[in-house]
Amino acid sequence: NPRYIEAIMEHTQALVVVVDPSIQLLNSLYISHSNKEWVKRLYCVAGDFNNFPIDYYKADMVVCIDYFDLLDTGRSIDEFRRALQFEGVLFLGGFVLPNEDIEGIFDEIVHTIHSLHTDYYLEDDLKTFLTLNEFGVVKVHTEKISINLFAIAEYLNADTEELKQPIIRHKDILTTLYNLLDDGTVTLPYMISASIRQKPSQDESL
């Protein structure tokens, strides 16, 4: 999201590298901000998070917002760990599932809307996943956000009639866990976390 990049650039003096598979998007980012002084500190690399085009231990911070559910998270977290310096920061932002949705019912709904969606983590499972991958979670903020499933489906040119089927099938669970309304609006957790890249223990180093 170009707004995130602009906010980061305007509030820091850091050198920022944007990684995205779309060359067109990266070009438009440069063109739309070519008159800004901070563009001299902005570098763009056409690539993806599964094969992160950043050298070993070169990053002080990795930021991934609203994108983690589109990735092979196992490969991506390995790449983030490789690229970050020890005690570097991994900043994640995105939807998670309430811990009660063990079957991942909401994921079934999202798969109907977005074919590239992998899976959302349960809130506690994401924290555990980060910890097991040598990221110490130091700060977490979770808030509830309401979205309309049919509006998102229309935006992504998904079949709204097909979407109705799993909604009807899981109506009770969606109502209980996600406050499903008649118009297709649901409420789910959005988690923002900051984690520190930890040094491996002496035993692991050996």
Side-chain angles (χ1 to χ4, degrees), residues 1-5 16-30 42-54 62-68 70-71 80 116:
N1 190 320
R3 290 179 299 173
Y4 296 153
I5 304 301
V16 174
V17 179
V18 177
V19 178
D20 193 275
S22 172
I23 295 177
Q24 182 179 0
L25 180 63
L26 296 176
N27 284 337
S28 67
L29 179 64
Y30 264 123
L42 179 67
Y43 293 83
C44 295
V45 179
D48 63 64
F49 285 177
N50 295 332
N51 295 288
F52 208 41
I54 306 297
V62 172
V63 179
C64 180
I65 299 176
D66 297 335
Y67 201 69
F68 206 50
L70 304 179
L71 302 173
F80 295 164
L116 296 180

Side-chain angles (χ1 to χ4, degrees), residues 3-14 16 38 41:
R3 290 179 299 173
Y4 296 153
I5 304 301
E6 185 171 4
I8 291 171
M9 299 304 295
E10 290 182 349
H11 290 85
T12 74
Q13 293 300 313
V16 174
W38 52 254
R41 296 183 283 110

Side-chain angles (χ1 to χ4, degrees), residues 82-194:
R82 177 188 60 76
L84 273 168
Q85 297 181 13
F86 293 124
E87 299 186 355
V89 177
L90 173 62
F91 185 93
L92 291 179
F95 288 114
V96 291
L97 302 185
N99 294 317
E100 296 81 5
D101 191 2
I102 298 174
E103 300 297 325
I105 297 302
F106 193 78
D107 275 321
E108 181 181 339
I109 307 295
V110 181
H111 283 301
T112 306
I113 299 173
H114 199 322
S115 60
L116 296 180
H117 172 73
T118 53
D119 285 315
Y120 291 125
Y121 279 89
L122 299 178
E123 184 174 352
D124 285 350
D125 283 356
L126 179 55
K127 298 173 189 175
T128 301
F129 173 73
L130 292 170
T131 300
L132 291 174
N133 282 278
E134 300 176 3
F135 286 98
V137 180
V138 294
K139 191 161 187 176
V140 174
H141 173 73
T142 303
E143 59 184 66
K144 297 295 182 70
I145 293 181
S146 296
I147 59 174
N148 186 278
L149 296 172
F150 293 111
I152 294 174
E154 290 177 1
Y155 177 78
L156 295 174
N157 295 316
D159 188 339
T160 55
E161 291 301 315
E162 182 181 355
L163 173 61
K164 290 179 182 178
Q165 298 173 20
I167 291 177
I168 293 172
R169 188 162 61 249
H170 301 297
K171 182 176 181 180
D172 290 344
I173 293 176
L174 292 173
T175 300
T176 301
L177 297 183
Y178 298 97
N179 194 28
L180 173 68
L181 302 180
D182 291 339
D183 66 350
T185 297
V186 292
T187 302
L188 64 160
Y190 189 94
M191 192 172 90
I192 300 170
S193 68

